[in-house]
Amino acid sequence: MAHSMGSRLALELLRTLANYSQLQVARIVFMAAAVPTFMLEGSPPGRLRSDFDAVIHEGVRSLYSSADMVLALAFPLGQTLAGDGEGFAPTALGHEYWVSSSVPLSLGQSENAGAGHGDYWGWNTKPRPLSCAH
């Protein structure tokens, strides 16, 4: 389970694990993933996609919220300013339902309606429980 930039770190770890063909990850749950969707695109493969496909054994669940203002405003600006292939105003995986023909088949998406960026940890009663993470 990973939150925000931890989701990016988990995907970068998959890149390392891909060097060891016997290692696989069964499942990952991303909460408010601060990962540009273009990095997981399938054709042409984004920077993180081929290792994602090689290492994930069962599947990934992405919990997203369009009410997450950190991913709506700060994430695209930060990615743009980072330069070096991080994209121009990209959409974060954890900000909205990703619709594309290149979405990984093993990626399931569930909305955590009304959740702000820090609401995934349960101390705010506004968003519904995270039962959608199963």
PDB file of all heavy atoms in Angstrom, residues 111-131:
ATOM      1  N   GLU A 111     -13.061   5.110  -7.003  1.00  0.00           N
ATOM      2  CA  GLU A 111     -13.160   6.484  -6.531  1.00  0.00           C
ATOM      3  C   GLU A 111     -13.346   6.522  -5.024  1.00  0.00           C
ATOM      4  O   GLU A 111     -14.131   5.769  -4.451  1.00  0.00           O
ATOM      5  CB  GLU A 111     -14.335   7.194  -7.201  1.00  0.00           C
ATOM      6  CG  GLU A 111     -14.424   8.652  -6.804  1.00  0.00           C
ATOM      7  CD  GLU A 111     -15.539   9.390  -7.513  1.00  0.00           C
ATOM      8  OE1 GLU A 111     -16.427   8.735  -8.093  1.00  0.00           O
ATOM      9  OE2 GLU A 111     -15.507  10.629  -7.498  1.00  0.00           O
ATOM     10  N   ASN A 112     -12.614   7.411  -4.385  1.00  0.00           N
ATOM     11  CA  ASN A 112     -12.801   7.714  -2.972  1.00  0.00           C
ATOM     12  C   ASN A 112     -13.399   9.124  -2.955  1.00  0.00           C
ATOM     13  O   ASN A 112     -12.718  10.114  -2.722  1.00  0.00           O
ATOM     14  CB  ASN A 112     -11.472   7.643  -2.216  1.00  0.00           C
ATOM     15  CG  ASN A 112     -11.652   7.625  -0.724  1.00  0.00           C
ATOM     16  OD1 ASN A 112     -12.747   7.404  -0.232  1.00  0.00           O
ATOM     17  ND2 ASN A 112     -10.589   7.867  -0.004  1.00  0.00           N
ATOM     18  N   ALA A 113     -14.690   9.191  -3.269  1.00  0.00           N
ATOM     19  CA  ALA A 113     -15.388  10.456  -3.522  1.00  0.00           C
ATOM     20  C   ALA A 113     -15.229  11.441  -2.373  1.00  0.00           C
ATOM     21  O   ALA A 113     -15.418  11.103  -1.210  1.00  0.00           O
ATOM     22  CB  ALA A 113     -16.867  10.186  -3.774  1.00  0.00           C
ATOM     23  N   GLY A 114     -14.857  12.663  -2.730  1.00  0.00           N
ATOM     24  CA  GLY A 114     -14.756  13.747  -1.762  1.00  0.00           C
ATOM     25  C   GLY A 114     -13.483  13.756  -0.944  1.00  0.00           C
ATOM     26  O   GLY A 114     -13.295  14.636  -0.109  1.00  0.00           O
ATOM     27  N   ALA A 115     -12.587  12.822  -1.165  1.00  0.00           N
ATOM     28  CA  ALA A 115     -11.369  12.736  -0.356  1.00  0.00           C
ATOM     29  C   ALA A 115     -10.354  13.776  -0.778  1.00  0.00           C
ATOM     30  O   ALA A 115     -10.055  13.929  -1.958  1.00  0.00           O
ATOM     31  CB  ALA A 115     -10.755  11.343  -0.467  1.00  0.00           C
ATOM     32  N   GLY A 116      -9.817  14.474   0.208  1.00  0.00           N
ATOM     33  CA  GLY A 116      -8.675  15.347  -0.018  1.00  0.00           C
ATOM     34  C   GLY A 116      -7.413  14.499   0.023  1.00  0.00           C
ATOM     35  O   GLY A 116      -7.455  13.289   0.283  1.00  0.00           O
ATOM     36  N   HIS A 117      -6.272  15.118  -0.186  1.00  0.00           N
ATOM     37  CA  HIS A 117      -5.033  14.370  -0.315  1.00  0.00           C
ATOM     38  C   HIS A 117      -4.662  13.572   0.940  1.00  0.00           C
ATOM     39  O   HIS A 117      -4.136  12.478   0.847  1.00  0.00           O
ATOM     40  CB  HIS A 117      -3.885  15.315  -0.692  1.00  0.00           C
ATOM     41  CG  HIS A 117      -2.697  14.611  -1.234  1.00  0.00           C
ATOM     42  ND1 HIS A 117      -2.718  13.961  -2.449  1.00  0.00           N
ATOM     43  CD2 HIS A 117      -1.461  14.444  -0.732  1.00  0.00           C
ATOM     44  CE1 HIS A 117      -1.535  13.423  -2.675  1.00  0.00           C
ATOM     45  NE2 HIS A 117      -0.755  13.708  -1.650  1.00  0.00           N
ATOM     46  N   GLY A 118      -4.949  14.109   2.105  1.00  0.00           N
ATOM     47  CA  GLY A 118      -4.597  13.419   3.349  1.00  0.00           C
ATOM     48  C   GLY A 118      -5.727  12.613   3.961  1.00  0.00           C
ATOM     49  O   GLY A 118      -5.571  12.048   5.044  1.00  0.00           O
ATOM     50  N   ASP A 119      -6.852  12.518   3.278  1.00  0.00           N
ATOM     51  CA  ASP A 119      -8.036  11.866   3.850  1.00  0.00           C
ATOM     52  C   ASP A 119      -8.018  10.346   3.760  1.00  0.00           C
ATOM     53  O   ASP A 119      -8.947   9.698   4.224  1.00  0.00           O
ATOM     54  CB  ASP A 119      -9.313  12.371   3.168  1.00  0.00           C
ATOM     55  CG  ASP A 119      -9.601  13.821   3.513  1.00  0.00           C
ATOM     56  OD1 ASP A 119      -9.090  14.306   4.535  1.00  0.00           O
ATOM     57  OD2 ASP A 119     -10.343  14.463   2.749  1.00  0.00           O
ATOM     58  N   TYR A 120      -7.005   9.756   3.188  1.00  0.00           N
ATOM     59  CA  TYR A 120      -6.976   8.315   2.982  1.00  0.00           C
ATOM     60  C   TYR A 120      -6.613   7.543   4.246  1.00  0.00           C
ATOM     61  O   TYR A 120      -6.689   6.330   4.269  1.00  0.00           O
ATOM     62  CB  TYR A 120      -5.995   7.964   1.857  1.00  0.00           C
ATOM     63  CG  TYR A 120      -6.507   8.383   0.504  1.00  0.00           C
ATOM     64  CD1 TYR A 120      -6.410   9.698   0.078  1.00  0.00           C
ATOM     65  CD2 TYR A 120      -7.120   7.470  -0.338  1.00  0.00           C
ATOM     66  CE1 TYR A 120      -6.889  10.083  -1.158  1.00  0.00           C
ATOM     67  CE2 TYR A 120      -7.604   7.838  -1.573  1.00  0.00           C
ATOM     68  CZ  TYR A 120      -7.481   9.148  -1.974  1.00  0.00           C
ATOM     69  OH  TYR A 120      -7.969   9.524  -3.193  1.00  0.00           O
ATOM     70  N   TRP A 121      -6.206   8.239   5.280  1.00  0.00           N
ATOM     71  CA  TRP A 121      -5.717   7.562   6.479  1.00  0.00           C
ATOM     72  C   TRP A 121      -6.786   7.363   7.539  1.00  0.00           C
ATOM     73  O   TRP A 121      -6.523   6.779   8.568  1.00  0.00           O
ATOM     74  CB  TRP A 121      -4.517   8.322   7.041  1.00  0.00           C
ATOM     75  CG  TRP A 121      -3.423   8.341   6.027  1.00  0.00           C
ATOM     76  CD1 TRP A 121      -3.046   9.392   5.244  1.00  0.00           C
ATOM     77  CD2 TRP A 121      -2.615   7.241   5.623  1.00  0.00           C
ATOM     78  NE1 TRP A 121      -2.046   9.006   4.388  1.00  0.00           N
ATOM     79  CE2 TRP A 121      -1.761   7.698   4.603  1.00  0.00           C
ATOM     80  CE3 TRP A 121      -2.530   5.910   6.031  1.00  0.00           C
ATOM     81  CZ2 TRP A 121      -0.829   6.871   3.980  1.00  0.00           C
ATOM     82  CZ3 TRP A 121      -1.601   5.095   5.410  1.00  0.00           C
ATOM     83  CH2 TRP A 121      -0.767   5.578   4.405  1.00  0.00           C
ATOM     84  N   GLY A 122      -8.006   7.855   7.317  1.00  0.00           N
ATOM     85  CA  GLY A 122      -9.120   7.525   8.194  1.00  0.00           C
ATOM     86  C   GLY A 122      -9.454   8.505   9.285  1.00  0.00           C
ATOM     87  O   GLY A 122     -10.442   8.320   9.981  1.00  0.00           O
ATOM     88  N   TRP A 123      -8.691   9.570   9.480  1.00  0.00           N
ATOM     89  CA  TRP A 123      -9.025  10.483  10.563  1.00  0.00           C
ATOM     90  C   TRP A 123     -10.053  11.518  10.149  1.00  0.00           C
ATOM     91  O   TRP A 123     -10.598  12.210  10.969  1.00  0.00           O
ATOM     92  CB  TRP A 123      -7.789  11.169  11.133  1.00  0.00           C
ATOM     93  CG  TRP A 123      -6.917  11.832  10.129  1.00  0.00           C
ATOM     94  CD1 TRP A 123      -7.154  12.991   9.460  1.00  0.00           C
ATOM     95  CD2 TRP A 123      -5.673  11.347   9.663  1.00  0.00           C
ATOM     96  NE1 TRP A 123      -6.129  13.262   8.596  1.00  0.00           N
ATOM     97  CE2 TRP A 123      -5.197  12.273   8.703  1.00  0.00           C
ATOM     98  CE3 TRP A 123      -4.897  10.239   9.949  1.00  0.00           C
ATOM     99  CZ2 TRP A 123      -3.995  12.111   8.049  1.00  0.00           C
ATOM    100  CZ3 TRP A 123      -3.701  10.089   9.286  1.00  0.00           C
ATOM    101  CH2 TRP A 123      -3.262  11.010   8.360  1.00  0.00           C
ATOM    102  N   ASN A 124     -10.354  11.620   8.883  1.00  0.00           N
ATOM    103  CA  ASN A 124     -11.399  12.520   8.417  1.00  0.00           C
ATOM    104  C   ASN A 124     -12.601  11.659   8.041  1.00  0.00           C
ATOM    105  O   ASN A 124     -12.496  10.747   7.239  1.00  0.00           O
ATOM    106  CB  ASN A 124     -10.907  13.305   7.199  1.00  0.00           C
ATOM    107  CG  ASN A 124     -11.916  14.337   6.731  1.00  0.00           C
ATOM    108  OD1 ASN A 124     -13.090  14.276   7.074  1.00  0.00           O
ATOM    109  ND2 ASN A 124     -11.468  15.283   5.933  1.00  0.00           N
ATOM    110  N   THR A 125     -13.749  11.951   8.588  1.00  0.00           N
ATOM    111  CA  THR A 125     -14.935  11.117   8.354  1.00  0.00           C
ATOM    112  C   THR A 125     -15.676  11.494   7.070  1.00  0.00           C
ATOM    113  O   THR A 125     -16.646  10.861   6.719  1.00  0.00           O
ATOM    114  CB  THR A 125     -15.918  11.203   9.529  1.00  0.00           C
ATOM    115  OG1 THR A 125     -16.273  12.580   9.712  1.00  0.00           O
ATOM    116  CG2 THR A 125     -15.277  10.648  10.782  1.00  0.00           C
ATOM    117  N   LYS A 126     -15.230  12.538   6.369  1.00  0.00           N
ATOM    118  CA  LYS A 126     -15.910  12.986   5.158  1.00  0.00           C
ATOM    119  C   LYS A 126     -15.943  11.916   4.059  1.00  0.00           C
ATOM    120  O   LYS A 126     -17.008  11.588   3.570  1.00  0.00           O
ATOM    121  CB  LYS A 126     -15.281  14.277   4.645  1.00  0.00           C
ATOM    122  CG  LYS A 126     -15.951  14.826   3.401  1.00  0.00           C
ATOM    123  CD  LYS A 126     -15.331  16.121   2.949  1.00  0.00           C
ATOM    124  CE  LYS A 126     -13.891  15.907   2.570  1.00  0.00           C
ATOM    125  NZ  LYS A 126     -13.229  17.053   1.993  1.00  0.00           N
ATOM    126  N   PRO A 127     -14.803  11.362   3.619  1.00  0.00           N
ATOM    127  CA  PRO A 127     -14.875  10.369   2.549  1.00  0.00           C
ATOM    128  C   PRO A 127     -15.365   9.024   3.076  1.00  0.00           C
ATOM    129  O   PRO A 127     -15.249   8.708   4.251  1.00  0.00           O
ATOM    130  CB  PRO A 127     -13.440  10.247   2.040  1.00  0.00           C
ATOM    131  CG  PRO A 127     -12.603  10.747   3.139  1.00  0.00           C
ATOM    132  CD  PRO A 127     -13.436  11.709   3.939  1.00  0.00           C
ATOM    133  N   ARG A 128     -15.909   8.230   2.175  1.00  0.00           N
ATOM    134  CA  ARG A 128     -16.401   6.918   2.563  1.00  0.00           C
ATOM    135  C   ARG A 128     -15.220   6.037   2.996  1.00  0.00           C
ATOM    136  O   ARG A 128     -14.082   6.316   2.663  1.00  0.00           O
ATOM    137  CB  ARG A 128     -17.165   6.280   1.427  1.00  0.00           C
ATOM    138  CG  ARG A 128     -16.285   5.880   0.281  1.00  0.00           C
ATOM    139  CD  ARG A 128     -17.119   5.111  -0.738  1.00  0.00           C
ATOM    140  NE  ARG A 128     -16.203   4.461  -1.637  1.00  0.00           N
ATOM    141  CZ  ARG A 128     -16.318   4.436  -2.943  1.00  0.00           C
ATOM    142  NH1 ARG A 128     -17.345   4.991  -3.527  1.00  0.00           N
ATOM    143  NH2 ARG A 128     -15.440   3.835  -3.683  1.00  0.00           N
ATOM    144  N   PRO A 129     -15.500   4.960   3.732  1.00  0.00           N
ATOM    145  CA  PRO A 129     -14.423   4.055   4.138  1.00  0.00           C
ATOM    146  C   PRO A 129     -13.700   3.484   2.932  1.00  0.00           C
ATOM    147  O   PRO A 129     -14.235   3.460   1.830  1.00  0.00           O
ATOM    148  CB  PRO A 129     -15.166   2.946   4.881  1.00  0.00           C
ATOM    149  CG  PRO A 129     -16.463   3.531   5.262  1.00  0.00           C
ATOM    150  CD  PRO A 129     -16.796   4.559   4.210  1.00  0.00           C
ATOM    151  N   LEU A 130     -12.504   3.042   3.148  1.00  0.00           N
ATOM    152  CA  LEU A 130     -11.685   2.534   2.052  1.00  0.00           C
ATOM    153  C   LEU A 130     -11.973   1.086   1.730  1.00  0.00           C
ATOM    154  O   LEU A 130     -11.102   0.349   1.279  1.00  0.00           O
ATOM    155  CB  LEU A 130     -10.198   2.721   2.385  1.00  0.00           C
ATOM    156  CG  LEU A 130      -9.764   4.169   2.481  1.00  0.00           C
ATOM    157  CD1 LEU A 130      -8.291   4.263   2.837  1.00  0.00           C
ATOM    158  CD2 LEU A 130     -10.025   4.897   1.180  1.00  0.00           C
ATOM    159  N   SER A 131     -13.195   0.656   1.885  1.00  0.00           N
ATOM    160  CA  SER A 131     -13.558  -0.714   1.524  1.00  0.00           C
ATOM    161  C   SER A 131     -13.360  -0.943   0.032  1.00  0.00           C
ATOM    162  O   SER A 131     -13.258  -2.079  -0.417  1.00  0.00           O
ATOM    163  CB  SER A 131     -14.996  -1.010   1.924  1.00  0.00           C
ATOM    164  OG  SER A 131     -15.878  -0.124   1.272  1.00  0.00           O
TER     165      SER A 131
END
